[in-house]
Amino acid sequence: MLRLSSLLVFITIFTSNLFAINVVVTKGDVHFNEFITLDMVTSGKVQNVKRHCIPTTIDDFKTKKLQATHYMKKGYVICQDDVKEFNEKSVLFNFGSIEIEKNGKIIFENDDYIRIKKSNGEIEKIYKDGRIK
């Protein structure tokens, strides 16, 4: 009887590792729009994932610069919808003798100033004479 139960335990452990899914899990809390590095994630195995989840791989974090699309707690399984690739958008302002390059997107422009939205959500106002507010 003892041999039979030990055999069943061995089979269940072997088959659980056989059907496990390789996923990427967060080591700590990840905030909204935070860049995710290899230090912040680890690989793991789970039995099942959410219905519409396509798990990311460690190679994605090695080759691409990824940002979080929402807040993730420690131990969260990262899916492809949970991260986005960082696209650096820069705007070049040429005010005659003054040339300014900023990361962001133009929101508003008139004869006196230009408003840009940075990647972290802040709005910056740049006057045509070079002042920044």
Side-chain angles (χ1 to χ4, degrees), residues 102-105 107 116-124:
K102 291 282 187 173
N103 292 333
K105 178 172 106 175
I107 296 174
I116 63 169
K117 186 173 185 178
K118 295 182 180 179
S119 61
N120 62 1
E122 292 180 11
I123 295 176
E124 190 172 42

Side-chain angles (χ1 to χ4, degrees), residues 67-124:
Q67 277 183 306
T69 57
H70 59 86
Y71 177 78
M72 294 180 248
K73 288 188 173 186
K74 179 181 176 182
Y76 186 83
V77 175
I78 301 176
C79 301
Q80 288 182 356
D81 295 339
D82 298 330
V83 292
K84 64 180 177 181
E85 190 171 351
F86 176 68
N87 296 327
E88 189 170 345
K89 299 174 186 172
S90 64
V91 179
L92 181 65
F93 304 106
N94 191 357
F95 302 125
S97 63
I98 300 172
E99 195 170 288
I100 301 171
E101 184 174 358
K102 291 282 187 173
N103 292 333
K105 178 172 106 175
I106 294 178
I107 296 174
F108 179 76
E109 181 177 1
N110 66 9
D111 294 337
D112 296 330
Y113 60 89
I114 296 172
R115 279 193 198 141
I116 63 169
K117 186 173 185 178
K118 295 182 180 179
S119 61
N120 62 1
E122 292 180 11
I123 295 176
E124 190 172 42

Side-chain angles (χ1 to χ4, degrees), residues 26 28-32 34 36 40 68 70-74:
T26 58
D29 294 346
V30 177
H31 299 283
F32 174 67
E34 186 176 358
I36 303 173
M40 303 169 80
H70 59 86
Y71 177 78
M72 294 180 248
K73 288 188 173 186
K74 179 181 176 182

Side-chain angles (χ1 to χ4, degrees), residues 3-46:
R3 287 184 181 176
L4 181 62
S5 63
S6 63
L7 180 65
L8 288 175
V9 169
F10 176 74
I11 290 173
T12 57
I13 291 172
F14 179 72
T15 57
S16 66
N17 286 333
L18 186 64
F19 296 114
I21 301 169
N22 291 328
V23 294
V24 177
V25 180
T26 58
K27 287 183 183 176
D29 294 346
V30 177
H31 299 283
F32 174 67
N33 274 345
E34 186 176 358
F35 291 107
I36 303 173
T37 61
L38 283 173
D39 300 335
M40 303 169 80
V41 296
T42 184
S43 61
K45 292 187 176 187
V46 294

